Amino acid sequence: MMGKGLRHVCLLGLLPLALACEDSEYHYPSVKLEFVTVVAGEDGGLRTLVPDKGDELAIANDYTQTSITPNSESRVLSNYEETEGENGAAAANIYSVQSLIVLGPLDKNDEEATAVPLGKDPVEVTSIWMGRDYLNMILNVKVKGDKPHAFRLMYEEEEPVDGERVFLLTLYHDANGDAEYYNRNAYVSVPLAGLAGDPAQTIRIKFKYYMYNEDGEVEESDKYCGADFEGFEYTPSAK
């Protein structure tokens, strides 16, 4: 049985949900490539695109013809172009979408959440940033590709700093014995709204993970959680 919050991913198979064009000579128009949230209508077709920065956009054309669960939303990496929709309103043309690994933080003190051993296989964080209600990151992971990797994100609350709550997130990666042959990117988005509490308030997020040191040994990285790192500031967006 899969443990609570355990996310298995075949990194060699991190493929787009759909691509608009497979012609290698095709050139995209001037588009953005970003982590976004897409929202589906009653038929499962994409109706709205919500950038991590900026206003939501009605989808004028979805050239991928992607379908998800009706009346749901999904985090994706998307090539899209802002355009003009009906009545001159801002809209979007979607040219590609690729699913993201969405990791909801789990309480480190929850015995059920930690019932399955926490993997400490190394990753490299090539990029990390805040976007709307998410902490986003691009990880580089070594794979051969014939075994699924598992990710979990645990949190623990630290002492408040200047009246602000501080949460330490720890990323756990279990490579499931996969050989380290190739580099693969893992695109991860972490929803933070559940940590802020009610009423909504500004909190600070610190983050640690396991990596190889100069001697080739696995160790914790303190790059985003050391005493001199103030943390990622997060204030929930208005819904």
Side-chain angles (χ1 to χ4, degrees):
M1 181 176 180
M2 185 179 293
K4 181 179 179 182
L6 199 61
R7 184 67 186 272
H8 287 88
V9 181
C10 181
L11 291 172
L12 196 63
L14 278 179
L15 299 176
L17 295 172
L19 286 176
C21 183
E22 297 180 358
D23 185 347
S24 61
E25 296 182 356
Y26 177 80
H27 297 283
Y28 286 124
S30 178
V31 298
K32 298 179 180 180
L33 178 63
E34 296 179 343
F35 285 23
V36 301
T37 300
V38 289
V39 183
E42 293 183 356
D43 61 353
L46 304 186
R47 295 292 176 263
T48 307
L49 182 149
V50 185
D52 279 1
K53 294 183 179 179
D55 298 327
E56 67 178 45
L57 304 168
I59 296 174
N61 297 287
D62 175 15
Y63 294 109
T64 70
Q65 298 184 356
T66 296
S67 292
I68 59 177
T69 302
N71 300 314
S72 71
E73 63 181 43
S74 181
R75 291 289 288 170
V76 300
L77 173 65
S78 178
N79 270 112
Y80 73 96
E81 172 193 27
E82 291 194 31
T83 186
E84 187 175 291
E86 296 181 0
N87 302 319
N93 291 327
I94 294 181
Y95 296 97
S96 73
V97 290
Q98 176 176 317
S99 59
L100 302 180
I101 302 170
V102 179
L103 290 179
L106 302 173
D107 189 344
K108 201 170 186 177
N109 295 317
D110 185 339
E111 292 184 2
E112 183 182 354
T114 57
V116 177
L118 299 169
K120 296 182 179 180
D121 290 317
V123 301
E124 178 186 355
V125 177
T126 60
S127 185
I128 185 169
W129 70 98
M130 290 291 304
R132 200 175 288 266
D133 292 308
Y134 299 89
L135 178 66
N136 301 308
M137 62 190 78
I138 300 175
L139 309 177
N140 181 272
V141 180
K142 296 284 190 180
V143 306
K144 180 180 180 183
D146 53 356
K147 295 182 180 181
H149 292 227
F151 296 89
R152 265 186 293 177
L153 195 68
M154 312 300 293
Y155 76 85
E156 51 191 315
E157 189 165 358
E158 300 187 328
E159 292 295 323
V161 176
D162 297 329
E164 291 183 348
R165 299 171 71 193
V166 180
F167 291 88
L168 173 63
L169 306 182
T170 303
L171 176 70
Y172 295 94
H173 167 224
D174 184 354
N176 195 26
D178 197 15
E180 297 183 345
Y181 283 10
Y182 312 107
N183 291 314
R184 287 290 182 272
N185 283 336
Y187 302 98
V188 178
S189 196
V190 180
L192 299 175
L195 296 179
D198 189 21
Q201 57 183 298
T202 297
I203 62 175
R204 292 195 175 271
I205 303 295
K206 294 193 173 187
F207 173 72
K208 68 178 180 179
Y209 58 101
Y210 292 88
M211 58 174 287
Y212 283 125
N213 61 21
E214 294 180 353
D215 298 321
E217 300 173 337
V218 178
E219 67 177 15
E220 287 184 357
S221 171
D222 62 357
K223 184 175 182 179
Y224 303 109
C225 64
D228 57 346
F229 179 68
E230 294 183 355
F232 297 98
E233 184 177 285
Y234 168 59
T235 303
S237 62
K239 295 287 188 177

